[in-house]
Amino acid sequence: MDAISFVLGIKSSHLRSAHLRDLVYRGRVLRTSTINGDGSATKNDLNGHANADDASEDEAAEQNTQERHDPKSAWVTAVYEDDAGDEQFWKRTITNQGVSEYRINDRVVTAQQYNEALEAENILIKARNFLVFQGDVEAIASQSPRDLTRLIEQISGSLEYKAEYERLKEAQDEALDIQNFNLHRRRGINSELKQYEEQKREAENYSKKADERDQAIVTHILWKLYHFQRVMEESSAEIQRHQEELKEHRRSIEKYEHSLDEAKKEQTKAGKEVAKTEKSIKGKDKDIEGKENGLVPVAEKIDLSRQSVVKCEKRVANIIKERDSHSASVKQSTKDLKVVEKAQAQWENERKKLAEQEGRELSETDIQQYNKLKSEVNKRTASDQARLDNLSRQQKADEETVNSLKSKVDSAEWQSHKLESELGDIGERKAGVNSQIKEITKDMSIKKKAYNEQTSERLRLSQVRTEKDEQLQEVLTKLLEAEDGRKQNEKDVRMRNTVSDMKRIFPGVKGRVSELCKPIEKRYGVAVSTVLGRNFDAVIVENERTAVDCIQYLRDQRRGQATFIPLDTIQWTSSGSNLKGTRGTRMAIDSISYESSLERAVAYVCGNAVICDDLATAKHVCWDKRNDVKAVTLDGSIIHKGGNMTGGLSGRQDTRRWEDAEVENLRKLKDKLLADLSSLPEPRRGSTEEEQLQGELTGLEQRLLYAKEEAKAHERNQTSKQKELSHAQDQLEAARPKYQEKSRELDTSKQHLEELQAAVSEVQDDVFAAFCQRLGYDNIRVYEAQQGSLQQEAAQKNLEFSTQKSRLQSRIKYEEQQLQETNNRIKRLEDQITQDQALIEELGAEQESTQGELDGLGAEIEQLGEQLKKQKAKYTQKAEKVNEQRREVQKRSQTVESTLRAISGLESERQLSAAGRYSLLRRCKLEDVDLPLTEESRPLDQLPIDEIVQTDPDAMDVDEDQDLSSMQPSNIPDYGIEIDFEDLDDDLKDLGDDNRTEDELQSRVKALNGELDHMAPNMRAMERVQTARGRLATTDQDYEDARKRAVKAKDAFAKVKDKRFELFNKAFSHISEQIGPIYKDLTKDPVNLPMGGSAYLDMEDSDEPYLDGIKYHAMPPLKRFRDMEHLSGGEKTMAALALLFAVHSYQPSPFFVLDEVDAALDNANVAKIANYIRDHAGPGMQFIVISLKTGLFQGSEALVGIYRDQGANTSKALTLDVNVLSPPLESWMLIRLQLRKYQ
């Protein structure tokens, strides 16, 4: 097979080696042979192995290698005879250089020319349509659909177009991509050009609208500035008038506040006494509850102990009955034993009398003759008689032993049966007790869970109540302490209510500064209140609109005035960094606790104020370091930016107002705690359900204890019985083998005795024949038996009496043991009864002691209750007095509050207007809005951007009351900017409906802004239009070039695709048509399977089948369809051969070489293959089959054997013409192979 493949151009990689040089045969060469010029060898006289040299092995190996002259080249020649009868010689040689040399008719050709010559004869090297290797059948049977596709491509020749197909397809795809890219690019540029032209028109309209918008903004700002300035002037005049009135009203309030403080001190003292008494009562209640809860388990333990005593007494009574039963059994067994002994003695006497009455008396002569004959018998049977006597004595001893052992075995069996019965009863009672223990344990788990839940809930509620009580007492104490010396007037209450209403109406209201922030430490309270100044009661809102709505609400409701700080428009300056590291100082904003969302407002009210520990530190910060800050000391002293100082306690009143906020929080907390306490369930002393569960648990514990003790008793009794049973069984096991052994020995002894007795009897019959005849006895033994029967009967009776006595004695011993064990159990129960009675007495004493303590605690609680009633009445009187004094103060504070509210509202309006004016000016500067200014005005560019609009710091700190000083009008800077309002229409200057005018002006600006926002023009549209037109021209040319290249690439690809499809489809159609009939021919049997099997090919892709797989389906005869991998080895081989023959039928080669394709076939399938080859062989088709099966040998025309001529160093063939043996069929084309190797 290697030679045929080699000469027909198969690559070495498909043969046995990857290198041609390795294909050269290097077998043993005769050392005496000589290689001739044509490559053959001539033998000499000696064999190469007959080496008489005495050299070492290494030298011999080296010499052998040098002298062997291994072949380095080889060649194979194929002689091919065509249909015309012409012969062609195809020769392929492996040269000394290890490369191939090709010759046709002894003419050197190239490998390509060699292949073309073979293909001219339809011998396709790549498709290998002329041979099938040994493993090809198995490979074809297991190949994938894509492998089958590749095989058909090789046969059809379409595989040669694969590389060009893929190259042209890639070129076509690339050309189409470039075409699409340029097309999309051209469309994008066209769209972009249209867009730029539209943007050009929009830019022109945008400029016109922008001019209109700017003029509308200027008009709106002038209108707001005009009204801000007017409100500021009017508010300042009103504030000055109210300040004068406020001084007179406040002096009349001070005398009433002193009386209120005294009444609060007395109320606080009475409240402390009430709280102390209530706490003592609660402590006593806890003690009573604890002792009452402790009584419940004591009573339950007493009841359970009593029940245990009753139960033990009942068990003692039952065990006493059992003990009486065992005692009666002992007495009865003893009595029976005496009866048996008496009967045995009586029977002995009767037997003796009966023997005397029934016995026969012989004469003196007969007796002498009997003795004489007896002596003669003894002489004649002396030895036998001695042995007989010995055996008789031994037999009697054995019989007694056997009877004794039998009695032991019977007694042991009876005792074992009785113990087993008792063990069964004990096991049943033990199982019942264990079941009872499980039920009790389960009940205890359920009860414990319920009890724990009840206890946990009670304790939790008690703990919660205790915590709430403690918190309430603490809150009440703080409230009483806070009321001492604190002043609260009607003004604060009304202001707080007003802010609360505004929070409810306007979502953007945050609250007052005093409520939203507080000092981080109490020592900073005076300093922080001094820093906040008039802004202490200012209201923080989210935006300016909310502030305006709140001011309008205060006006409409006539609820006074307030200052509002909008978070969106308020401005502040950052803190000075040069103060960091100065000891004893900190920024005021850092000393205040507040929410992060309020940072802008807190920064505004604090400004650049610094808190110093003392006045010396403040002087160092302001004067020595020359920092432009306002320094405030902890006691309220101030060093202003200008260097002037202010001292006093101006912040104490505001500090108390912070305490008012804390007091209000304490009141809310008190109400919440009272509500929580009222919602808690009332505590019940000694809850009935909890006590019942505790009692049930105690009872279950006692029952479990008794059940476990009973189980232990059963366990001990069972162990004892088990030991007794084991002992009885051991005795039985020990006695039974001895009894059986002695019984066998007794039987053997009886047999020997009978034999000896027969021998003696024979002598006795001979000697006593005349004597027995004369006396009328059959033989002498009858006479002796008459005398000996009485003795035998007596022995049997004695044995029976012994057995009965032994059994009764064993029973008596067992019952005495049981009696002793019963007495021990009674003693243990009596000890338990004694312990329980002692426990009952001890628990009774404890119960009486606890009850006495409870009575004493009850009397103490009654005394404390009476005392509490008196203290509460006193506290009520003091509280009424405090309320009366507070009403007097509040009544006289209404006028002051009204005035303060009016001043605060006016100042808020003034501050709000000033802040609005600055915000508008700042906005104009930042947004470059051109406002009309007077000739004396400074330019808008000189307006400070980071300046904070607030009051003069000197005006808020004077040496008088804080409420009065905080109402001083502030000095608001105008920055030298004067607005010219001549261009503002007179209608807009009128103070009519401000909201309507504001909405109209803002609507005009918003409308113009909306139009401008919707327009969004591109101001560079003109420039981009020109650029886009140039790019469009370039892109049009690129698209046209890409389109032409795509058409050309598509045509070239379609041509190659059609050619490849045509070749592949032609081969596939032929093979698909042939596969069915070929498979049917290979699998049919004329007798059994005339129809044969069926097979077909199926394309996975009909458009381009060479890109996907082809499935091969085969269904053997009389079998359902299955996949190829589920067929047997023979079925796979037949299917694979059918496919090979169908493939070979397309462009068939003139010969077909099959290498052991029948390896997996049985004889029947081999015969089918042979028939198929015989039917399809002919002049144009020659089959060369390499096989080891006789079925193919028998059906062939010639047999060829290949062997190697070692001497000639070449291959030779032996041919057997089978046609000689049978008529020739046809004249076949022959291939002659000459295989030679050169040395």
Side-chain angles (χ1 to χ4, degrees):
M1 196 65 184
D2 289 343
I4 295 173
S5 303
F6 176 75
V7 74
L8 294 180
I10 300 299
K11 293 182 179 180
S12 62
S13 60
H14 295 159
L15 300 176
R16 300 179 186 272
S17 177
H19 302 286
L20 287 174
R21 187 172 296 175
D22 295 337
L23 295 175
V24 178
Y25 178 74
R26 290 182 175 82
R28 188 186 64 169
V29 179
L30 294 178
R31 189 177 173 194
T32 57
S33 298
T34 303
I35 302 299
N36 299 324
D38 58 355
S40 61
T42 303
K43 295 183 179 179
N44 295 331
D45 295 338
L46 298 177
N47 190 298
H49 288 285
N51 187 6
D53 194 358
D54 295 334
S56 63
E57 293 183 2
D58 296 337
E59 295 176 354
E62 182 179 359
Q63 182 179 2
N64 210 9
T65 302
Q66 294 174 356
E67 295 181 359
R68 278 179 58 180
H69 302 293
D70 289 339
K72 296 183 180 179
S73 63
W75 54 265
V76 179
T77 300
V79 182
Y80 170 68
E81 181 180 350
D82 57 15
D83 295 338
D86 298 332
E87 290 185 348
Q88 295 185 27
F89 293 87
W90 297 332
K91 183 177 180 181
R92 184 180 177 184
T93 304
I94 301 175
T95 64
N96 292 335
Q97 290 76 24
V99 297
S100 293
E101 180 186 81
Y102 300 93
R103 292 176 181 269
I104 299 178
N105 296 327
D106 205 22
R107 180 173 57 86
V108 178
V109 296
T110 62
Q112 183 177 359
Q113 293 173 343
Y114 195 80
N115 291 339
E116 290 175 353
L118 293 176
E119 290 177 357
E121 299 298 334
N122 232 3
I123 300 174
L124 305 178
I125 297 176
K126 294 182 179 180
R128 294 196 297 181
N129 64 337
F130 55 90
L131 59 84
V132 179
F133 284 105
Q134 182 175 356
D136 287 352
V137 176
E138 181 180 357
I140 290 173
S142 60
Q143 68 182 351
S144 64
R146 286 189 176 274
D147 295 335
L148 182 56
T149 302
R150 182 175 179 82
L151 176 63
I152 295 177
E153 274 206 282
Q154 291 175 345
I155 295 298
S156 65
S158 64
L159 187 62
E160 297 178 359
Y161 294 92
K162 180 179 180 181
E164 187 176 4
Y165 170 89
E166 293 176 350
R167 180 181 61 80
L168 292 175
K169 180 175 177 61
E170 184 178 356
Q172 173 187 283
D173 295 340
E174 183 179 358
L176 289 175
D177 291 340
I178 294 174
Q179 178 187 355
N180 292 332
F181 171 75
N182 287 310
L183 176 61
H184 293 310
R185 183 182 174 192
R186 186 179 69 173
R187 290 176 179 174
I189 294 175
N190 279 326
S191 176
E192 186 178 352
L193 181 59
K194 293 178 181 179
Q195 183 179 2
Y196 288 152
E197 290 176 350
E198 181 66 24
Q199 289 177 358
K200 177 183 175 183
R201 291 189 293 271
E202 291 178 357
E204 295 173 354
N205 295 330
Y206 183 83
S207 299
K208 296 178 182 179
K209 290 290 181 182
D211 295 339
E212 295 180 13
R213 189 268 320 271
D214 293 341
Q215 185 59 39
I217 291 174
V218 170
T219 302
H220 181 220
I221 292 174
L222 284 175
W223 175 80
K224 293 185 72 174
L225 289 173
Y226 176 79
H227 287 288
F228 282 149
Q229 185 170 344
R230 188 168 181 176
V231 169
M232 290 167 58
E233 293 172 355
E234 293 176 355
S235 297
S236 297
E238 287 294 322
I239 289 173
Q240 189 63 34
R241 183 176 63 82
H242 284 299
Q243 284 287 354
E244 298 298 329
E245 297 176 357
L246 184 63
K247 294 179 181 179
E248 298 297 331
H249 294 314
R250 289 187 58 84
R251 293 190 183 96
S252 62
I253 298 176
E254 294 179 356
K255 62 179 180 179
Y256 293 101
E257 290 180 347
H258 179 72
S259 300
L260 177 62
D261 294 339
E262 295 297 330
K264 287 180 179 179
K265 292 179 181 179
E266 295 178 358
Q267 182 188 11
T268 302
K269 184 177 180 181
K272 290 181 178 179
E273 294 177 355
V274 171
K276 183 177 179 182
T277 304
E278 288 179 346
K279 187 174 181 181
S280 299
I281 292 175
K282 289 181 179 179
K284 299 296 182 181
D285 287 338
K286 285 185 180 180
D287 295 339
I288 290 175
E289 184 179 359
K291 292 186 179 299
E292 286 179 347
N293 291 336
L295 283 176
V296 175
V298 172
E300 294 296 334
K301 288 181 180 179
I302 291 174
D303 292 339
L304 292 174
S305 298
R306 289 174 180 170
Q307 293 175 6
S308 176
V309 169
V310 174
K311 187 175 181 180
C312 290
E313 289 176 350
K314 290 181 180 180
R315 291 181 63 191
V316 167
N318 293 332
I319 295 174
I320 288 174
K321 292 179 181 179
E322 185 179 351
R323 181 187 65 182
D324 295 340
S325 174
H326 287 302
S327 179
S329 178
V330 171
K331 292 179 181 179
Q332 184 63 38
S333 298
T334 304
K335 184 177 180 181
D336 293 342
L337 180 60
K338 292 179 180 180
V339 171
V340 170
E341 291 175 349
K342 184 176 180 182
Q344 182 178 10
Q346 184 178 359
W347 175 80
E348 288 289 344
N349 295 330
E350 291 177 357
R351 183 181 64 81
K352 290 180 181 179
K353 292 178 181 180
L354 184 61
E356 291 177 357
Q357 293 175 2
E358 294 182 357
R360 293 185 179 180
E361 295 293 333
L362 295 178
S363 63
E364 197 66 34
T365 303
D366 292 337
I367 292 174
Q368 290 179 357
Q369 187 180 3
Y370 172 76
N371 292 330
K372 183 178 178 181
L373 292 174
K374 188 70 173 176
S375 300
E376 184 178 356
V377 169
N378 290 335
K379 289 179 182 179
R380 293 175 61 181
T381 61
S383 60
D384 292 339
Q385 191 68 39
R387 292 174 59 192
L388 185 62
D389 292 340
N390 292 333
L391 285 176
S392 297
R393 289 193 299 272
Q394 183 65 33
Q395 183 178 355
K396 290 180 180 180
D398 290 344
E399 286 177 352
E400 293 178 357
T401 303
V402 168
N403 291 333
S404 175
L405 291 174
K406 186 174 183 303
S407 175
K408 288 184 179 180
V409 170
D410 292 341
S411 177
E413 288 179 350
W414 174 81
Q415 189 173 2
S416 297
H417 290 323
K418 183 177 180 181
L419 290 172
E420 288 175 355
S421 176
E422 292 178 354
L423 279 174
D425 296 340
I426 293 172
E428 292 177 359
R429 292 196 297 271
K430 182 181 176 182
V433 173
N434 289 333
S435 176
Q436 185 180 3
I437 289 174
K438 290 181 180 178
E439 293 178 358
I440 293 172
T441 304
K442 183 177 180 182
D443 292 342
M444 285 183 64
S445 299
I446 297 173
K447 299 292 184 184
K448 279 184 179 179
K449 184 177 180 181
Y451 177 74
N452 289 335
E453 290 177 355
Q454 293 266 348
T455 305
S456 299
E457 182 64 19
R458 179 177 59 79
L459 293 176
R460 187 186 69 80
L461 292 175
S462 177
Q463 184 177 1
V464 170
R465 181 176 292 279
T466 302
E467 291 176 356
K468 296 292 183 183
D469 286 339
E470 291 177 354
Q471 292 177 7
L472 181 59
Q473 292 299 325
E474 185 178 354
V475 169
L476 290 174
T477 303
K478 288 182 178 179
L479 279 174
L480 293 174
E481 293 175 354
E483 291 290 341
D484 185 14
R486 189 180 60 83
K487 298 179 181 179
Q488 181 178 9
N489 50 37
E490 186 66 24
K491 176 214 170 183
D492 295 329
V493 176
R494 294 182 64 183
M495 186 61 187
R496 190 161 42 246
N497 295 334
T498 301
V499 174
S500 178
D501 293 339
M502 286 192 296
K503 282 184 180 180
R504 180 169 38 82
I505 297 172
F506 307 107
V509 178
K510 300 294 186 180
R512 292 190 298 174
V513 174
S514 59
E515 296 172 350
L516 298 175
C517 62
K518 60 175 60 179
I520 59 175
E521 295 182 17
K522 195 170 183 179
R523 66 192 184 99
Y524 294 128
V526 175
V528 171
S529 62
T530 304
V531 170
L532 297 181
R534 68 176 59 86
N535 292 313
F536 195 86
D537 287 325
V539 181
I540 300 176
V541 295
E542 285 187 353
N543 49 51
E544 182 181 354
R545 186 66 185 174
T546 304
V548 173
D549 293 340
C550 291
I551 292 172
Q552 187 63 39
Y553 170 79
L554 293 176
R555 288 176 180 171
D556 297 341
Q557 299 296 325
R558 298 182 180 276
R559 303 188 69 169
Q561 295 177 339
T563 302
F564 294 90
I565 303 176
L567 293 173
D568 61 337
T569 60
I570 200 69
Q571 302 295 328
W572 80 96
T573 56
S574 58
S575 303
S577 59
N578 56 349
L579 296 175
K580 295 182 179 179
T582 304
R583 190 172 183 181
T585 62
R586 63 187 303 154
M587 298 302 297
I589 192 171
D590 296 335
S591 304
I592 300 175
S593 174
Y594 57 90
E595 295 182 2
S596 58
S597 60
L598 307 175
E599 183 177 2
R600 293 171 61 91
V602 177
Y604 168 75
V605 298
C606 291
N608 58 354
V610 178
I611 296 178
C612 304
D613 291 347
D614 48 32
L615 189 58
T617 305
K619 291 178 180 179
H620 175 71
V621 169
C622 294
W623 295 346
D624 297 343
K625 288 194 172 184
R626 298 184 181 279
N627 291 314
D628 188 16
V629 296
K630 180 177 69 174
V632 182
T633 63
L634 295 179
D635 59 0
S637 299
I638 305 170
I639 299 179
H640 301 281
K641 292 182 181 179
N644 56 319
M645 295 178 59
T646 301
L649 300 176
S650 59
R652 291 294 176 87
Q653 185 65 24
D654 290 332
T655 304
R656 289 187 175 181
R657 293 173 63 187
W658 264 319
E659 294 176 357
D660 290 343
E662 294 179 359
V663 169
E664 183 63 25
N665 294 332
L666 288 174
R667 287 199 182 95
K668 293 179 181 179
L669 181 59
K670 180 193 73 173
D671 296 338
K672 181 179 180 301
L673 291 174
L674 289 173
D676 293 343
L677 285 172
S678 62
S679 64
L680 291 175
E682 290 295 329
R684 294 175 295 172
R685 296 181 181 175
S687 174
T688 305
E689 187 175 356
E690 187 176 348
E691 292 175 357
Q692 183 179 357
L693 287 173
Q694 188 176 8
E696 291 176 357
L697 273 175
T698 307
L700 289 173
E701 289 175 355
Q702 290 296 117
R703 287 179 57 194
L704 180 63
L705 178 62
Y706 295 147
K708 287 183 177 179
E709 290 180 357
E710 186 175 356
K712 289 180 181 179
H714 286 313
E715 183 70 26
R716 291 193 296 269
N717 195 9
Q718 187 180 24
T719 303
S720 176
K721 295 295 183 183
Q722 190 66 43
K723 290 181 180 179
E724 292 180 9
L725 178 61
S726 300
H727 179 67
Q729 289 177 350
D730 292 341
Q731 288 182 344
L732 180 62
E733 294 296 329
R736 184 174 289 159
K738 293 180 181 180
Y739 168 71
Q740 293 174 355
E741 182 180 359
K742 289 297 181 181
S743 297
R744 290 193 296 270
E745 292 178 357
L746 181 61
D747 294 340
T748 304
S749 177
K750 286 181 179 180
Q751 185 177 356
H752 288 300
L753 186 63
E754 289 176 357
E755 292 175 358
L756 290 175
Q757 186 66 41
V760 173
S761 297
E762 185 178 354
V763 175
Q764 286 177 347
D765 291 342
D766 185 25
V767 173
F768 286 99
F771 179 79
C772 291
Q773 186 177 3
R774 182 170 60 80
L775 294 177
Y777 292 102
D778 292 338
N779 51 52
I780 193 61
R781 289 182 298 282
V782 174
Y783 169 76
E784 292 177 349
Q786 182 179 1
Q787 297 297 324
S789 62
L790 296 175
Q791 296 179 356
Q792 186 174 3
E793 182 179 356
Q796 183 66 29
K797 276 289 186 179
N798 287 329
L799 180 60
E800 291 177 0
F801 283 123
S802 298
T803 301
Q804 291 181 2
K805 288 164 63 178
S806 176
R807 186 176 300 160
L808 289 172
Q809 289 173 354
S810 298
R811 185 176 299 175
I812 290 170
K813 183 178 180 182
Y814 172 74
E815 292 295 340
E816 288 177 348
Q817 292 177 354
Q818 293 296 318
L819 182 62
Q820 181 63 33
E821 184 178 351
T822 304
N823 291 329
N824 294 335
R825 290 167 59 192
I826 292 171
K827 186 176 183 306
R828 287 196 296 270
L829 289 173
E830 289 175 349
D831 294 340
Q832 182 65 36
I833 290 171
T834 303
Q835 292 178 2
D836 290 340
Q837 290 176 347
L839 179 60
I840 290 171
E841 294 176 358
E842 182 180 351
L843 293 174
E846 183 180 351
Q847 189 176 28
E848 292 176 0
S849 175
T850 304
Q851 189 62 43
E853 294 177 357
L854 285 174
D855 295 339
L857 290 173
E860 293 178 3
I861 288 177
E862 292 179 359
Q863 295 177 359
L864 290 173
E866 295 295 331
Q867 182 179 350
L868 181 61
K869 290 180 181 179
K870 297 178 181 179
Q871 291 174 349
K872 283 186 175 180
K874 182 179 179 181
Y875 178 77
T876 303
Q877 294 176 0
K878 299 297 183 182
E880 182 62 29
K881 184 177 180 180
V882 170
N883 293 332
E884 183 180 354
Q885 294 296 328
R886 183 179 290 115
R887 284 193 295 270
E888 292 294 332
V889 173
Q890 291 175 356
K891 183 189 298 183
R892 287 160 177 78
S893 299
Q894 291 177 358
T895 305
V896 175
E897 179 188 355
S898 176
T899 304
L900 289 174
R901 189 163 55 248
I903 294 174
S904 178
L906 292 171
E907 180 62 23
S908 297
E909 288 184 3
R910 187 168 174 269
Q911 291 283 346
L912 187 60
S913 298
R917 180 178 182 275
Y918 173 78
S919 297
L920 287 175
L921 294 176
R922 183 174 180 273
R923 172 187 168 193
C924 293
K925 177 180 179 180
L926 295 176
E927 297 178 3
D928 293 332
V929 177
D930 188 11
L931 289 177
L933 302 177
T934 61
E935 295 179 357
E936 295 81 8
S937 174
R938 299 172 64 185
L940 192 61
D941 295 339
Q942 297 182 7
L943 178 72
I945 297 298
D946 297 331
E947 186 68 21
I948 297 178
V949 180
Q950 62 180 13
T951 60
D952 185 6
D954 297 339
M956 74 177 215
D957 298 310
V958 295
D959 294 333
E960 57 183 356
D961 197 328
Q962 174 64 21
D963 287 335
L964 183 61
S965 64
S966 63
M967 295 298 107
Q968 293 293 333
S970 59
N971 183 16
I972 300 175
D974 58 2
Y975 306 103
I977 297 175
E978 297 180 4
I979 307 298
D980 185 4
F981 296 107
E982 291 183 358
D983 295 336
L984 186 64
D985 295 339
D986 294 336
D987 295 338
L988 295 177
K989 293 180 180 180
D990 186 13
L991 293 175
D993 189 356
D994 293 346
N995 292 333
R996 184 177 60 82
T997 306
E998 172 77 11
D999 293 339
E1000 290 177 355
L1001 294 174
Q1002 286 185 349
S1003 298
R1004 174 63 177 164
V1005 174
K1006 287 181 180 178
L1008 293 172
N1009 280 329
E1011 294 178 7
L1012 291 173
D1013 292 340
H1014 285 95
M1015 293 172 71
N1018 184 0
M1019 306 308 292
R1020 300 180 61 186
M1022 180 61 70
E1023 178 184 351
R1024 294 185 177 180
V1025 166
Q1026 299 299 329
T1027 304
R1029 287 175 179 171
R1031 286 169 40 222
L1032 179 61
T1034 304
T1035 304
D1036 285 341
Q1037 184 63 37
D1038 293 341
Y1039 171 73
E1040 187 63 24
D1041 296 342
R1043 188 186 63 80
K1044 293 179 181 179
R1045 286 196 298 271
V1047 172
K1048 183 177 180 182
K1050 183 178 181 182
D1051 294 340
F1053 173 72
K1055 183 177 179 181
V1056 174
K1057 175 184 175 182
D1058 294 342
K1059 182 65 176 177
R1060 186 180 182 187
F1061 178 79
E1062 180 183 358
L1063 293 174
F1064 186 89
N1065 194 49
K1066 181 179 178 182
F1068 176 80
S1069 300
H1070 175 82
I1071 296 171
S1072 180
E1073 292 173 358
Q1074 296 295 323
I1075 188 68
I1078 292 175
Y1079 185 72
K1080 185 178 293 184
D1081 292 342
L1082 288 176
T1083 56
K1084 71 180 180 179
D1085 187 346
V1087 179
N1088 298 324
L1089 303 171
M1091 297 301 295
S1094 62
Y1096 64 92
L1097 297 176
D1098 184 17
M1099 285 185 182
E1100 293 182 355
D1101 185 357
S1102 60
D1103 294 333
E1104 293 185 274
Y1106 39 78
L1107 297 181
D1108 214 327
I1110 294 177
K1111 292 185 178 179
Y1112 176 33
H1113 304 279
M1115 183 170 66
L1118 302 180
K1119 291 187 177 181
R1120 60 182 178 85
F1121 171 77
R1122 289 184 292 182
D1123 293 335
M1124 187 67 69
E1125 60 267 17
H1126 295 156
L1127 299 177
S1128 63
E1131 291 171 346
K1132 287 182 180 179
T1133 302
M1134 298 298 287
L1137 288 173
L1139 179 61
L1140 286 173
F1141 291 147
V1143 171
H1144 183 266
S1145 66
Y1146 180 76
Q1147 295 183 351
S1149 64
F1151 55 88
F1152 201 28
V1153 183
L1154 304 176
D1155 182 13
E1156 295 189 27
V1157 297
D1158 56 352
L1161 300 178
D1162 54 8
N1163 293 331
N1165 287 327
V1166 171
K1168 294 177 182 179
I1169 295 295
N1171 293 333
Y1172 180 85
I1173 293 175
R1174 186 185 303 109
D1175 294 341
H1176 290 77
M1181 171 57 63
Q1182 180 182 10
F1183 285 91
I1184 301 173
V1185 182
I1186 300 173
S1187 176
L1188 300 175
K1189 301 291 181 70
T1190 57
L1192 288 174
F1193 295 165
Q1194 295 173 357
S1196 63
E1197 288 189 342
L1199 299 178
V1200 180
I1202 305 299
Y1203 71 96
R1204 178 169 184 79
D1205 188 348
Q1206 188 69 27
N1209 196 28
T1210 185
S1211 299
K1212 292 186 177 181
L1214 295 177
T1215 303
L1216 174 63
D1217 189 358
V1218 184
N1219 291 328
V1220 177
L1221 304 177
S1222 61
L1225 297 176
E1226 293 180 353
S1227 176
W1228 286 6
M1229 175 184 63
L1230 299 177
I1231 295 180
R1232 291 175 294 170
L1233 300 175
Q1234 298 179 4
L1235 307 176
R1236 296 184 180 180
K1237 294 184 179 178
Y1238 288 104
Q1239 191 172 12

